[in-house]
């Protein structure tokens, strides 16, 4: 790593790292800027587009069609390899709450927020899951899927398993420590 040339200030701390299907490395720093590792150099990704339109990038993920989904402080952006497309979000998603993106084995996009729970993007709509639907909290930290196609959701109040339309929660009552 010491051979990597940075086109950024050396004191910048990265809080997210992502490897896409082509083994490209993507980095997001604490200031919400996005970079790619190209030939041992850290290069800003389309800085003019993001500087003009968005100030805080929170996550990036590639779907099975080769599109990149990028969450910003208040919007969802699709990059198809050539151009950027802003995706209309439901009014129930508060600005400044988009946090985590995940694409499952069915190529469905899951969006975790810090205020409005979990959203599943279908072809033309979004399905919302909140604490009222069984999640331990509306503050989503991480999302993944196991080999049995079960979706796992980490929240600030424990984690949950989503399987066949039902949530099973794990928290301090299930044996998790409270720290």
């Amino acid at each position: 790593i010491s051979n990597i040339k940075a086109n950024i200030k050396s004191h910048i701390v990265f809080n997210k790292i992502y490897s896409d299907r082509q083994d490209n490395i993507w980095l997001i720093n604490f200031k919400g800027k996005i970079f790619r590792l190209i030939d041992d150099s850290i290069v800003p990704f389309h800085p003019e587009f993001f500087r003009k339109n968005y100030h805080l990038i929170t996550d990036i993920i590639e779907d099975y069609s080769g599109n990149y989904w990028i969450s910003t402080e208040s919007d969802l952006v699709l990059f198809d390899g050539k151009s950027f497309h802003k995706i209309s979000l439901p009014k129930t998603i508060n600005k400044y709450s988009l946090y985590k993106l995940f694409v499952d084995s069915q190529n469905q996009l899951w969006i975790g927020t810090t205020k409005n729970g979990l959203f599943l993007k279908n072809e033309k709509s979004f399905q919302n899951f909140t604490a009222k639907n069984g999640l331990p909290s509306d503050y989503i930290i991480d999302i993944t899927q196991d080999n049995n196609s079960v979706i796992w959701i980490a929240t600030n109040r424990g984690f949950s398993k989503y399987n066949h339309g039902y949530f099973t929660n794990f928290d301090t009552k299930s044996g998790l420590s409270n720290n």
Side-chain angles (χ1 to χ4, degrees), residues 27-73:
L27 304 157
I28 299 174
N29 69 12
F30 276 109
K31 293 186 176 186
K33 306 299 179 201
I34 190 168
F35 304 86
R36 274 187 55 199
L37 184 61
I38 300 173
D39 297 326
D40 290 336
S41 292
I42 298 171
V43 180
F45 179 69
H46 289 276
E48 66 287 343
F49 173 80
F50 288 105
R51 187 173 30 253
K52 180 180 174 186
N53 298 292
Y54 303 103
H55 302 291
L56 182 66
I57 298 165
T58 58
D59 207 0
I60 182 171
I61 195 157
E62 180 186 18
D63 66 22
Y64 293 105
S65 302
N67 298 309
Y68 290 93
W69 295 91
I70 302 166
S71 60
T72 72
E73 72 274 15

Side-chain angles (χ1 to χ4, degrees), residues 101-135:
L101 301 175
F102 178 73
V103 174
D104 67 19
S105 60
Q106 302 296 313
N107 206 31
Q108 298 179 109
L109 180 69
W110 296 79
I111 304 167
T113 72
T114 58
K115 297 177 182 175
N116 306 105
L118 185 65
F119 288 82
L120 173 59
K121 184 181 183 317
N122 301 313
E123 287 206 25
K124 296 182 181 187
S125 65
F126 290 85
Q127 185 176 2
N128 185 213
F129 303 98
T130 66
K132 292 177 183 175
N133 302 108
L135 281 170

